[in-house]
Amino acid sequence: MTTRLALYPLSAAEAADIEASGPGGPSAAHWAPGYPDDGDRRAAGRLLRTCASVGDPGPFGAFEIRRRTDGLAIGGAGFHGAPDSEGRLTVGYGLIASARGFGYAAEALGALLSFARSRGVLSVKGDADLDNVASHRVMTSAGMRLVAVDDRLRHYRVDWRDTPAQDPGECAADAGPAVGRRP
């Protein structure tokens, strides 16, 4: 939970629903207009492939971002799998067009970073297309720093190798950033 958002861990069944559905699909009662978008469907597919190849990533999977005011899903965020042998993760996020520009992405990313750090993760990386200035700002706002630029992407990272973990705040002990699951 954050001040304005709830991040709900997705099960494989929920990810399959998102991957297969366009806006107005079977779970539409919990979806804001425009959700899921193509990015949400790709993220759901990634979670399904991870579950099929290595099993459920547990708390390091995908999350649905919901506004606390109305409970509607406005996007997704999550990890691209469990931490590697060096304690590193990759993170991604996205919002439907109507939810952009309100600081929700930085709020959700900040919650994921706090959760990862509280679980002993040592480093989290993310990237964005060169022209995606909004995403560059989101990662910077959440405490990530630019570490590389190539011909397609700007690469960001946060490292906690030399600093102790902070109190995870309102994060649930085992379920990930959300206090509860989908209603």
Side-chain angles (χ1 to χ4, degrees):
M1 295 291 224
T2 70
T3 302
R4 300 177 300 161
L5 304 171
L7 278 64
Y8 288 89
L10 290 177
S11 68
E14 292 161 337
D17 188 22
I18 289 168
E19 184 185 44
S21 299
S27 297
H30 301 291
W31 295 348
Y35 181 85
D37 65 12
D38 290 340
D40 297 306
R41 286 189 288 281
R42 283 191 305 273
R46 182 182 311 107
L47 177 62
L48 292 171
R49 288 187 299 280
T50 298
C51 289
S53 65
V54 296
D56 185 345
F60 297 108
F63 298 84
E64 191 173 72
I65 302 170
R66 289 191 180 185
R67 287 185 300 241
R68 291 178 68 182
T69 56
D70 60 12
L72 296 179
I74 58 170
F79 305 105
H80 294 192
D84 67 15
S85 62
E86 295 183 28
R88 299 178 301 200
L89 286 172
T90 300
V91 69
Y93 53 86
L95 296 172
I96 59 173
S98 64
R100 295 178 189 147
F102 298 99
Y104 293 140
E107 194 171 322
L109 179 57
L112 287 177
L113 294 177
S114 176
F115 174 73
R117 187 174 186 195
S118 76
R119 290 302 187 100
V121 171
L122 299 176
S123 180
V124 177
K125 65 181 180 174
D127 58 56
D129 291 338
L130 293 174
D131 62 350
N132 191 344
V133 176
S135 194
H136 306 161
R137 289 182 184 140
V138 165
M139 286 186 271
T140 301
S141 274
M144 299 177 84
R145 64 184 174 81
L146 180 66
V147 294
V149 179
D150 60 33
D151 61 334
R152 283 188 41 240
L153 302 169
R154 292 174 66 97
H155 300 268
Y156 291 80
R157 187 175 65 225
V158 62
D159 291 298
W160 302 294
R161 295 178 195 290
D162 299 323
T163 56
Q166 300 294 313
D167 180 348
E170 296 181 85
C171 294
D174 295 314
V179 170
R181 290 215 173 252
R182 289 174 172 245

